[in-house]
Amino acid sequence: MPYHDVGYIALLEKVIKFTKPYGIVQLGDALDFWQISAYDKNPLRKQTIAEDAQIYKGILQRWADLLPIDGVIHQLEGNHCDRLRRYIWRNAKELAGLVQTVPEMIGLRDLGIRTVWHPLAQWDSCKIGDAVCHHGHFFNMHAAAGNLIKYPKSLITGHTHRFQYVSNGTRFSCTLGHGSNETETAHQPTPTGWQQAFAILSVNGHKTHIEPVLVHNGECVVYGKRIDV
Ligand SMILES: [Fe+2]
């Protein structure tokens, strides 16, 4: 928030209704905290951190309501989510511990469903079968290929806004695109190479399989069915 693509979110909700998953993993950077970032900000934008958090809280609640009663939401911390802690430590360290944390701000404990917060610093916190979901740290044109070598597990990340998938036959590495409004989030006037996407994970035995789904203009194809907003 607030650079999310509302069309992408609406599409996801249709996909959740169609696929009926057991759980959802949000790969991080759900809150941008642009108000306290070092990047230039649009002075016409007046929305507060609290308002951004409220919007995401509403989205989480809708997701929770779509999941089965024994379902789970895994919320990963992204580097943008971590901006609040860094800001307080730098500018008002006396208030550390007094200001709400991100999980508190988004009401993660109040969704009526099991939820798990995964800190950015703990790369293997979110295990799904034999794969790990992490927000991601490395950022270049070949992040997925680099991660396949660097990490000992199959790995699913966000962060790069690009879609990349590589496998060595036993493990895979995937950077899973983004769900933002590209025209508002891109900082440079060049083609971004970004791709909206999500994936369906299934665990067979101990082995995790990934089915990436690419989103173009509010449309995607899941299990052969075209879904749009
Ligand atoms: Fe990020």
Side-chain angles (χ1 to χ4, degrees):
M1 312 300 117
Y3 302 117
H4 58 295
D5 178 355
V6 290
Y8 170 91
I9 301 286
L11 184 68
L12 273 192
E13 288 174 9
K14 280 193 167 184
V15 171
I16 294 166
K17 286 176 190 165
F18 175 58
T19 56
K20 299 184 173 53
Y22 157 76
I24 294 172
V25 180
Q26 202 284 329
L27 286 169
D29 283 349
L31 290 183
D32 186 70
F33 289 108
W34 59 274
Q35 296 92 340
I36 52 174
S37 90
Y39 282 107
D40 290 340
K41 307 163 190 64
N42 180 349
L44 299 178
R45 195 178 267 282
K46 301 294 184 203
Q47 203 160 297
T48 65
I49 288 174
E51 286 165 333
D52 288 347
Q54 203 58 34
I55 292 171
Y56 186 52
K57 199 172 173 178
I59 292 171
L60 277 175
Q61 189 62 66
R62 292 206 302 277
W63 290 351
D65 293 344
L66 290 172
L67 291 178
I69 195 76
D70 60 344
V72 59
I73 292 178
H74 292 282
Q75 179 62 56
L76 273 54
E77 182 181 35
N79 52 310
H80 289 211
C81 308
D82 193 38
R83 275 178 176 158
L84 181 62
R85 177 196 60 79
R86 281 181 277 140
Y87 182 84
I88 293 166
W89 284 22
R90 194 179 307 133
N91 299 298
K93 52 183 179 296
E94 297 80 1
L95 299 184
L98 284 176
V99 179
Q100 275 190 318
T101 63
V102 173
E104 288 167 347
M105 207 176 279
I106 60 178
L108 202 59
R109 297 268 175 271
D110 312 323
L111 298 174
I113 195 168
R114 189 164 80 87
T115 56
V116 190
W117 171 257
H118 298 280
L120 181 64
Q122 202 180 330
W123 74 270
D124 61 349
S125 171
C126 183
K127 297 184 183 76
I128 308 287
D130 69 344
V132 168
C133 298
H134 183 246
H135 175 65
H137 176 68
F138 299 101
F139 193 99
N140 58 40
M141 293 292 287
H142 310 288
N147 287 342
L148 187 65
I149 297 165
K150 287 186 180 93
Y151 291 82
K153 307 280 276 183
S154 286
L155 187 74
I156 300 147
T157 68
H159 190 54
T160 69
H161 287 215
R162 294 186 171 86
F163 170 69
Q164 300 167 343
Y165 174 87
V166 289
S167 169
N168 65 4
T170 56
R171 286 184 289 112
F172 65 82
S173 170
C174 184
T175 61
L176 206 44
H178 71 117
S180 73
N181 184 337
E182 187 170 320
T183 55
E184 289 201 58
T185 38
H187 293 295
Q188 278 135 7
T190 60
T192 61
W194 294 355
Q195 173 65 54
Q196 286 192 344
F198 60 90
I200 298 164
L201 299 181
S202 51
V203 181
N204 187 3
H206 71 289
K207 205 82 184 148
T208 302
H209 297 270
I210 183 168
E211 297 171 73
V213 180
L214 306 188
V215 177
H216 295 282
N217 301 320
E219 273 192 7
C220 66
V221 176
V222 176
Y223 302 157
K225 178 183 165 69
R226 184 173 298 276
I227 303 176
D228 61 34
V229 289

